[in-house]
Amino acid sequence: MKTPRYTPLAAALPATVPFVGPETQERQRGAPFTARLGANENVFGPSPRAIAAMQAAAADIWMYGDPESFDLRQALAQHHGVSPANIIVGEGIDCLLGYLVRLLVGPGDAVVTSDGAYPTFNYHVAGFGGVLHKVPYVDDHEDPASLFAKAAEVDAKLVYLANPDNPMGSWHTGADIIAALDTLPDGCLLVLDEAYIECAPKGTAAPVDINDPRVIRMRTFSKIYGMAGARVGYGMGAQDLITAFNKVRNHFGMNRTAQAGALAALADNDWLVHVQTEIANARTRIADIAAANGLSALPSATNFVTIDCGRDATFAKAVLDGLIAEGIFVRMPFVAPQNRCIRISCGRPQDLDAFADALPKALHAAGS
Ligand SMILES: Cc1ncc(COP(=O)(O)O)c(C=O)c1O
């Protein structure tokens, strides 16, 4: 008998690695990147107060983190004007999405997302045997109306919507999302991924009633708070749903350094405003660089800018390869028609200088 004896589901999953990290690419190319602008990290870094808190907590790392993330949940509850019982803290949104799918999706259950939307969610759905149904983007936006209509058609248990969206940077107003909720079918939960919400214009966050059982919102310390490596995210929703996470979550998944850092980051609003300003400046600069090269940048409510390369996916991929050859780590959407674009994370002036220098060369090499 062959061992190990995988579950039929695990045996059927593709053996490929879904995400190739920049470190892997650096090892493959035998040189570090000059600018790291591909993973929508926050190059401006965490609050100095968060760094100090993590340094101070480092000596206590021999202890497990508080499995209830009590202090952080208290602070988040105060920040959002809700009860700590409405908040689940976990190892980034990516991990919380996995827990959520595990709670709701079994083999054969229907789930809806947009074709080309944030792929980690799809990966979890596949891992629990769910059946993904996809609707197209509309004018480079995820479309709540078609998502919810598809959910009704296939009797979906879960529907995913990122607002603002990755990879296109587009967004809907919170009011429009609340209005669309009227068409969310009974028995279907909306997971509203708000990873980039602090980068978006006022009014983008959907003012969902915290005890509305139809919606769970996901937030993260990876983007505006600049702590992607610490792995801290949280979900906000009705108390029953939040409590259910305790059935499946890794109770000792949070490390105490990350908990201390997130707590300090949340308290430093000045740094948040500073980063928002840096991001706004970088978005303008990226759009200017695109325009100077005859390309157009899509409007963005995130910490990245998606640039329309103006032709097909083959051309966009050639531009991307050219940038990587020039030492600029960037990524691009996976699916047509979004894959006519490349996606550039907001960087410091020196990162964007390097991008500005590399883009004409990449376009030339791509045959522009
Ligand atoms: C839409 C979206 N959700 C979630 C994440 C990941 O968040 P976290 O680092 O909290 O897992 C990302 C990261 O790129 C993202 O773009």
Side-chain angles (χ1 to χ4, degrees):
M1 183 181 292
K2 266 173 60 179
T3 54
R5 292 186 288 162
Y6 294 107
T7 64
L9 178 58
L13 292 172
T16 49
V17 175
F19 308 102
V20 181
E23 291 80 6
T24 308
Q25 295 185 40
E26 287 178 331
R27 284 189 288 273
Q28 285 165 351
R29 62 196 294 276
F33 285 117
T34 312
R36 184 166 162 132
L37 302 175
N40 303 339
E41 295 151 324
N42 173 355
V43 192
F44 308 104
S47 150
R49 284 160 63 178
I51 296 172
M54 289 189 278
Q55 282 168 338
D60 292 332
I61 203 71
W62 59 272
M63 287 186 262
Y64 291 109
D66 173 5
E68 291 181 33
S69 293
F70 183 86
D71 294 340
L72 183 55
R73 281 175 47 242
Q74 292 283 333
L76 286 167
Q78 201 171 12
H79 187 77
H80 291 292
V82 301
S83 158
N86 294 113
I87 294 185
I88 174 74
V89 166
E91 305 92 304
I93 292 179
D94 283 355
C95 182
L96 289 168
L97 288 174
Y99 294 148
L100 183 69
V101 172
R102 185 170 171 193
L103 281 172
L104 294 178
V105 180
D109 285 341
V111 179
V112 174
T113 187
S114 309
D115 198 10
Y118 187 60
T120 305
F121 177 72
N122 305 356
Y123 176 72
H124 290 307
V125 172
F128 289 103
V131 179
L132 263 182
H133 299 266
K134 297 178 182 172
V135 299
Y137 276 60
V138 175
D139 294 335
D140 294 327
H141 288 66
E142 292 198 58
D143 184 46
S146 28
L147 284 164
F148 300 168
K150 177 60 84 177
E153 181 192 320
V154 300
D155 188 22
K157 295 172 88 174
L158 189 59
V159 56
Y160 176 87
L161 169 62
N163 190 51
D165 173 60
N166 175 16
M168 302 311 277
S170 53
W171 69 103
H172 295 281
T173 67
D176 283 350
I177 288 180
I178 296 291
L181 277 180
D182 287 344
T183 63
L184 185 73
D186 229 19
C188 180
L189 181 77
L190 168 64
V191 51
L192 189 55
D193 184 337
E194 298 183 324
Y196 300 98
I197 201 72
E198 300 89 352
C199 308
K202 233 179 155 43
T204 307
V208 177
D209 181 330
I210 191 67
N211 287 311
D212 187 334
R214 298 173 299 173
V215 186
I216 184 166
R217 285 169 288 166
M218 299 287 188
R219 302 273 178 104
T220 184
F221 283 85
S222 298
K223 305 300 177 185
I224 201 80
Y225 293 104
M227 292 178 50
R231 313 305 302 128
V232 187
Y234 59 102
M236 295 192 286
Q239 295 190 9
D240 285 355
L241 173 59
I242 294 301
T243 307
F245 278 80
N246 286 331
K247 298 181 185 183
V248 296
R249 74 185 177 93
N250 176 5
H251 289 262
F252 291 97
M254 297 298 302
N255 87 68
R256 57 192 303 121
T257 312
Q259 289 169 326
L263 196 56
L266 189 67
D268 193 349
N269 195 58
D270 289 350
W271 186 259
L272 182 132
V273 172
H274 159 74
V275 174
Q276 284 171 327
T277 308
E278 295 284 1
I279 287 172
N281 292 340
R283 286 195 300 230
T284 305
R285 173 97 198 275
I286 295 169
D288 289 348
I289 294 168
N293 287 275
L295 308 178
S296 60
L298 274 54
S300 168
T302 62
N303 71 345
F304 60 87
V305 175
T306 302
I307 296 178
D308 190 336
C309 293
R311 296 207 217 160
D312 60 4
T314 310
F315 180 67
K317 175 72 166 62
V319 176
L320 180 112
D321 288 344
L323 287 168
I324 287 174
E326 292 293 327
I328 313 294
F329 167 55
V330 289
R331 285 200 172 123
M332 66 183 285
F334 299 106
V335 170
Q338 296 93 283
N339 61 5
R340 68 187 194 283
C341 301
I342 55 173
R343 197 195 65 184
I344 317 296
S345 304
C346 290
R348 299 162 299 183
Q350 63 267 40
D351 301 313
L352 299 183
D353 288 347
F355 171 60
D357 187 47
L359 184 58
K361 297 177 191 159
L363 284 166
H364 181 74
S368 175

